[in-house]
């Protein structure tokens, strides 16, 4: 497995936030993390890239426990895109994407041709090479998300973690961002709220509730009317989309 989480626990303020979670992500596949607010999705992502340390359990990249890895080695392999980041500094798109090369460079290392190649490839992946000189604060929300993903790709990761990458975006940019991510040649874990977007773009889903995994599998296996009622507290019909063949959730108001 590319990412393996085994019986992981993490608590904060006396509350168990991640409570015995076990999941596997196959190399090159996309796992969607679903669950209500406070279910542990964001905390789990931060544990996987070791921004937080597990209380117990094991998280492995390949066959290596991340607890035995140097943080720099993890940063060279795992890229994390948070929900939204902002800055008031007068920086350009290129400045932001270049930050992705930080794990690969020593404090006195000169900028190299390999760094340029990685940054230019990342900008091409997100369709923004012509925006390299544009100031950050002039970008739209969707464009900023593309730049964040480009910064992550400049790390040349084999694993990509994204925490609600479609938050505050219109539907066009939601579809563009998720389509982009799922076409990338990396292993991805994406925390999402939208069940239909998760069904459209993710190979597998894991549903978290109160810090535990309550369902895992393909979208067809996971997204059931009973699960949506139990976990999200709403009633729904489940249909198969005639367009993309995946599950489609129709919410009921009665």
């Amino acid at each position: 497995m590319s990412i393996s989480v085994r019986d992981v626990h993490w608590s904060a303020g006396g509350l168990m936030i991640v409570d015995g979670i076990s999941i596997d992500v196959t190399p090159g596949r996309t796992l969607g993390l679903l669950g209500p607010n406070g279910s542990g999705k964001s905390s789990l992502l931060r544990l996987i890239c070791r921004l937080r340390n597990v209380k117990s359990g094991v998280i492995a990249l390949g066959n290596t426990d991340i607890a035995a890895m140097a943080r720099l080695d993890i940063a060279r392999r795992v890229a994390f895109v948070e929900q939204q980041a902002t800055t008031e500094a007068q920086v350009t798109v290129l400045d932001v994407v270049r930050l992705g090369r930080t794990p690969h460079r020593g404090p006195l290392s000169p900028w190299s041709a390999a760094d340029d190649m990685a940054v230019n490839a990342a900008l091409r992946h997100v369709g923004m090479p012509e925006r390299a000189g544009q100031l950050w604060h002039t970008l739209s929300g969707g464009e900023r998300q593309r730049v964040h993903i480009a910064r992550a790709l400049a790390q040349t990761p084999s694993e990509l973690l994204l925490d609600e990458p479609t938050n505050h975006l219109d539907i066009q940019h939601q579809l563009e961002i998720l389509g982009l991510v799922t076409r990338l040649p990396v292993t991805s874990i994406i925390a999402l709220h939208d069940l239909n977007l998760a069904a459209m773009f993710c190979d597998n889903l894991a549903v978290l509730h109160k810090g535990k995994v309550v369902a895992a599998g393909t979208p067809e296996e996971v997204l059931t009317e009973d699960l949506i009622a139990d976990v999200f507290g709403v009633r729904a019909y489940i249909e198969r989309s005639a367009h993309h063949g995946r599950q489609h959730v129709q919410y009921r108001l009665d």
Side-chain angles (χ1 to χ4, degrees):
M1 290 296 172
S2 179
I3 300 174
S4 177
V5 178
R6 284 286 171 268
D7 196 26
V8 165
H9 296 77
W10 181 78
S11 60
L15 296 175
M16 189 62 69
I17 308 299
V18 174
D19 190 4
I21 286 180
S22 295
I23 57 172
D24 290 311
V25 190
T26 303
R29 309 290 278 178
T30 298
L31 173 70
L33 288 184
L34 300 175
N37 288 334
S39 59
K41 302 188 300 297
S42 297
S43 295
L44 179 60
L45 292 178
R46 285 163 174 77
L47 290 168
I48 291 171
C49 58
R50 224 178 91 183
L51 291 178
R52 294 170 177 165
N53 295 318
V54 301
K55 182 177 181 180
S56 64
V58 174
I59 298 174
L61 296 176
N63 296 319
T64 306
D65 185 343
I66 64 167
M69 297 176 67
R71 290 185 183 275
L72 185 59
D73 290 335
I74 296 173
R76 287 171 176 163
R77 175 166 176 173
V78 181
F80 181 38
V81 180
E82 301 193 61
Q83 290 189 24
Q84 281 286 353
T86 187
T87 178
E88 298 303 318
Q90 293 287 100
V91 296
T92 66
V93 167
L94 184 61
D95 294 329
V96 175
V97 178
R98 280 185 165 188
L99 291 174
R101 297 304 298 161
T102 302
H104 298 277
R105 305 177 67 245
L108 300 178
S109 299
W111 190 262
S112 70
D115 294 320
D116 274 331
M117 288 178 62
V119 168
N120 291 335
L123 286 168
R124 287 196 301 272
H125 267 303
V126 302
M128 296 191 72
E130 74 287 352
R131 302 291 189 92
Q134 187 168 339
L135 289 173
W136 168 260
H137 71 268
T138 66
L139 299 175
S140 70
E143 289 166 343
R144 291 185 183 190
Q145 282 296 75
R146 285 179 177 270
V147 174
H148 282 309
I149 293 170
R151 174 191 54 75
L153 293 179
Q155 289 178 233
T156 58
S158 53
E159 287 86 17
L160 180 62
L161 313 179
L162 302 102
D163 190 8
E164 298 290 348
T166 58
N167 254 11
H168 312 302
L169 300 183
D170 59 45
I171 187 61
Q172 177 187 357
H173 288 112
Q174 290 178 30
L175 295 172
E176 288 177 353
I177 290 293
L178 291 176
L180 163 67
V181 169
T182 55
R183 289 192 299 270
L184 294 171
V186 297
T187 303
S188 302
I189 304 180
I190 312 176
L192 292 166
H193 275 300
D194 191 303
L195 306 186
N196 286 315
L197 288 178
M200 285 177 65
F201 290 101
C202 297
D203 300 302
N204 290 285
L205 304 175
V207 180
L208 276 57
H209 187 43
K210 298 180 179 179
K212 297 178 180 291
V213 174
V214 295
T218 65
E220 291 77 12
E221 293 167 337
V222 168
L223 292 179
T224 67
E225 295 173 6
D226 287 343
L227 178 130
I228 293 170
D230 292 342
V231 173
F232 298 95
V234 295
R235 300 176 66 195
Y237 293 117
I238 305 297
E239 300 176 338
R240 184 174 293 275
S241 170
H243 176 64
H244 52 71
R246 294 290 189 101
Q247 300 288 86
H248 183 74
V249 179
Q250 295 267 19
Y251 297 105
R252 299 173 57 176
L253 300 179
D254 55 313

